[in-house]
Amino acid sequence: FLSSFRPISHLLFRPKPPPRQPPLPPFSRYANPDLRRDASAFASAASSQRAKGTSEAEMGACCDSEAELTTHRDKPQSVVLRTDRPTDTHTYSTAMEEEKKNKMREAADRLYLEGIGYYWGLNFKTIDEAKGKRMMVEAMEKGSLIAKAYCHFSGWGGLHEDEKEAFRLFSFIATHGHGAGGEEEGEEEEGGGTRAHAQHMLGLCYRRGYGVGVDGRKAREWYGKAAARGYARAQNNLGI
């Protein structure tokens, strides 16, 4: 009996265990399940790194993922998304600026089509040459390429009359469209849009010899392309 007796000193002088940490509150059932899964994976990885003696700074430096989930010390239940790559604000601002310029140019093209309608009496408009000229010059000043071509053709808006330059611009618009990269803008507008008008002007240049030699075959060809897009004046010239 005495041999089996154990002293109770280990019970009297046993060190007090450290206080237990309160359990983390569970994620809300409304939280994203992918976020909960990623947070659990990151917590497991963090525990293994701490067990190996890796500091938090080293652990953050050796993380290869593009997006990391980190836990606030004050609020362990809150999770934030941290990205290593900064947002490319330059590309975004450039795209927004380009979109703004495109909208301004499209508005200028519509103003030109309205002006040419008054100048020629198109689309049931009463002929008003002064008003039409004023609108076309304003469209040229706002960046319309087709308006610039016609101002070169007529010598308006401070531009010298240059039929060859007008022919070159009409050719570019008629072949590639107004926009950069061959975008065909304004084709669905009433009367065919800027491209149809440029094709009609090419037919006129080949017919009358403005900036190019007279060529009846090419004149009919460009009139036909403009008429196919619904340009009424080209249809009239072809007798359609």
Side-chain angles (χ1 to χ4, degrees):
F1 174 76
L2 294 177
S3 61
S4 62
F5 176 75
R6 295 180 61 188
I8 62 175
S9 59
H10 69 286
L11 298 177
L12 297 177
F13 302 102
R14 186 175 182 178
K16 187 176 180 179
R20 296 183 60 184
Q21 297 291 336
L24 296 178
F27 281 91
S28 170
R29 61 191 179 92
Y30 298 104
N32 189 342
D34 296 334
L35 191 62
R36 294 201 301 268
R37 183 174 61 253
D38 294 341
S40 301
F42 181 78
S44 301
S47 299
S48 61
Q49 292 290 341
R50 292 192 185 95
K52 295 179 182 179
T54 306
S55 64
E56 293 185 0
E58 294 173 348
M59 185 168 56
C62 68
C63 183
D64 296 330
S65 62
E66 185 172 323
E68 302 171 350
L69 290 171
T70 60
T71 306
H72 290 293
R73 293 183 178 180
D74 298 336
K75 296 180 180 180
Q77 71 276 13
S78 62
V79 179
V80 296
L81 186 66
R82 187 177 70 195
T83 57
D84 294 331
R85 296 181 180 178
T87 305
D88 194 351
T89 56
H90 176 71
T91 302
Y92 177 77
S93 61
T94 303
M96 292 296 293
E97 188 68 22
E98 187 66 23
E99 182 180 0
K100 182 179 179 181
K101 290 181 180 179
N102 290 337
K103 290 182 178 180
M104 292 176 62
R105 189 185 65 236
E106 290 173 4
D109 288 342
R110 288 192 293 269
L111 180 63
Y112 169 79
L113 293 175
E114 190 77 8
I116 198 68
Y118 280 109
Y119 193 79
W120 283 353
L122 302 176
N123 301 325
F124 306 102
K125 290 181 174 62
T126 302
I127 294 179
D128 189 338
E129 294 185 353
K131 182 177 181 180
K133 177 181 177 180
R134 184 171 62 252
M135 294 176 71
M136 287 188 280
V137 171
E138 182 181 353
M140 184 268 295
E141 294 172 350
K142 291 184 177 180
S144 173
L145 186 61
I146 187 72
K148 181 179 180 181
Y150 199 88
C151 286
H152 270 301
F153 183 79
S154 302
W156 294 347
L159 300 179
H160 62 282
E161 185 175 342
D162 189 343
E163 294 178 353
K164 291 186 177 180
E165 178 65 13
F167 177 82
R168 185 187 68 82
L169 294 175
F170 285 138
S171 299
F172 175 80
I173 300 170
T175 307
H176 304 288
H178 189 144
E183 295 176 0
E184 302 178 3
E185 300 175 358
E187 291 186 7
E188 297 182 359
E189 297 180 9
E190 184 179 3
T194 56
R195 190 169 187 178
H197 175 68
Q199 290 171 344
H200 170 265
M201 291 302 299
L202 275 186
L204 180 64
C205 289
Y206 278 114
R207 180 184 175 185
R208 301 286 180 83
Y210 296 140
V212 69
V214 177
D215 191 330
R217 183 184 63 82
K218 287 188 177 181
R220 287 191 298 271
E221 177 184 348
W222 285 109
Y223 278 149
K225 291 181 179 181
R229 294 179 182 273
Y231 201 76
R233 201 173 182 91
Q235 294 172 352
N236 181 67
N237 290 338
L238 289 174
I240 297 177

